[in-house]
Amino acid sequence: MYPISRHSQRLHLRELSHKDAEEVFAIYGDARATEHMSFDPRSRDDVEAIVARFITSATMDPRQEYALAVTNTSSGQLIGVGRLALDPHQPRAAAFGFALRPDTWGHGYGTETVRLLLACAFEDLELHRVWGPAPPRTPLPPGHWNAQGSPRRATSASTSSAAASGGTQ
């Protein structure tokens, strides 16, 4: 599916473009942002290559990766990157993740981004399972574990109301 565009009151998920590389670098090159991710800060050249790869992957058929800009609807400024990566071993399943600029933390944008990504996954892409891997340096709080001691998982049945309230096309 191309292009992806999904809105909430404050945020817009859209396809990345080459002009976004500098704003993505403000996230992927920031030690505070990558402290909670599975990689160390990236160089400007690395980020330009990553953005180029994301753009190329958006035109693949079948599409396996959805790397999307998270922008503020009122300013249009890129504040984050969200990603859905389809699992080649599990039909209609994907891993997801996102990163936001540290200066935007604490305003509910993370929750809003997750809702938009889940709505995109379950409604637009009609996936049945989505999971978000936790980086090794970021322990999950107790409420994120199920009764069996495993991380909770989102499925289309368990998140239908949450995804529905997360945004509209």
Side-chain angles (χ1 to χ4, degrees), residues 3-168:
I4 294 286
S5 179
R6 185 163 272 279
H7 300 267
S8 65
Q9 185 174 359
R10 300 185 305 163
L11 299 179
H12 178 207
L13 287 183
R14 63 163 173 80
E15 300 291 345
L16 284 162
S17 70
H18 289 286
K19 67 181 180 164
D20 294 323
E22 191 62 32
E23 291 177 286
V24 174
F25 176 67
I27 301 163
Y28 285 7
D30 188 305
R32 292 172 299 160
T34 58
E35 177 183 1
H36 304 287
M37 297 170 73
S38 61
F39 58 85
D40 292 326
R42 305 293 182 151
S43 71
R44 183 173 269 105
D45 288 341
D46 290 341
V47 171
E48 288 175 2
I50 289 167
V51 170
R53 184 180 61 78
F54 286 161
I55 292 168
T56 299
S57 73
T59 62
M60 303 300 259
D61 188 21
R63 188 170 180 179
Q64 298 297 310
E65 180 177 46
Y66 296 82
L68 304 165
V70 179
T71 63
N72 181 298
T73 54
S74 60
S75 70
Q77 186 174 28
L78 187 144
I79 64 164
V81 177
R83 184 172 172 266
L84 291 161
L86 301 185
D87 187 332
H89 306 291
Q90 295 187 52
R92 299 176 71 185
F96 89 105
F98 70 96
L100 299 175
R101 278 194 346 243
D103 66 313
T104 67
W105 295 353
H107 300 283
Y109 292 130
T111 300
E112 206 166 324
T113 298
V114 168
R115 287 182 177 148
L116 286 169
L117 285 168
L118 290 176
C120 178
F122 294 128
E123 296 171 15
D124 299 338
L125 304 177
E126 299 180 348
L127 300 179
H128 287 278
R129 179 178 291 197
V130 175
W131 66 94
R137 295 178 285 195
T138 308
L140 291 174
H144 285 72
W145 299 97
N146 65 20
Q148 292 77 36
S150 299
R152 279 198 264 174
R153 297 180 185 196
T155 62
S156 57
S158 67
T159 60
S160 59
S161 62
S165 67
T168 60

